[in-house]
Amino acid sequence: MTYNVQVKVMPLKELLDPQGKAVMGGLDNLGLKGIEDVRVGKNISLQVNAGNEAEAKKLAEEATKKLLANPVMEYFEIAIN
Amino acid sequence: MTYNVQVKVMPLKELLDPQGKAVMGGLDNLGLKGIEDVRVGKNISLQVNAGNEAEAKKLAEEATKKLLANPVMEYFEIAIN
């Protein structure tokens, strides 16, 4: 069966996020008030062929650790839809 | 009150996603079998100061339409945590 797995990869909270800061600046320039903080990360959508949900999640986790996320700068969350 | 709003911006399904294809190639090279398709998009986390959830969502939607997503190439989803 094919599972739709969503991997969210975000910059660690301890680190500066220059892209997020740039977006904040852009929002200010557009006059959009009320947004206090922005952080920009990646969302990766995987179609995983596996026997069950747990297997699909394990495969997605392996792929994320080996290729998609850099643990020095990023944390990740995996969700199955 | 401050709401944590997650905006997911993904390439439209009709379009090629070269970054996703590159990740697919990388996964093949690593010998990870079972992942059939990869699409790479953005996840933007906003801290929105608003009176209620609906207002926060509206503000996030305005910011997304004006700055964060390009409707020619991307679609977006907004979720409030």
Side-chain angles (χ1 to χ4, degrees), chain B residues 11-62:
Chain B
L12 287 172
K13 293 195 196 342
E14 298 79 19
L15 300 180
L16 282 175
D17 172 20
Q19 205 181 347
K21 291 280 167 285
V23 171
M24 275 294 288
L27 292 173
D28 277 345
N29 290 342
L30 287 171
L32 278 167
K33 307 289 173 207
I35 297 179
E36 292 174 348
D37 192 34
V38 180
R39 292 186 83 78
V40 180
K42 284 177 289 187
N43 188 76
I44 300 137
S45 162
L46 305 172
Q47 302 302 318
V48 183
N49 197 351
N52 58 50
E53 236 182 76
E55 226 175 87
K57 194 169 179 176
K58 208 181 129 194
L59 197 55
E61 205 172 310
E62 198 184 342

Side-chain angles (χ1 to χ4, degrees), chain B residues 60-74:
Chain B
E61 205 172 310
E62 198 184 342
T64 304
K65 284 185 180 162
K66 283 193 177 164
L67 187 69
L68 302 173
N70 171 5
V72 176
M73 300 178 62
E74 295 166 327

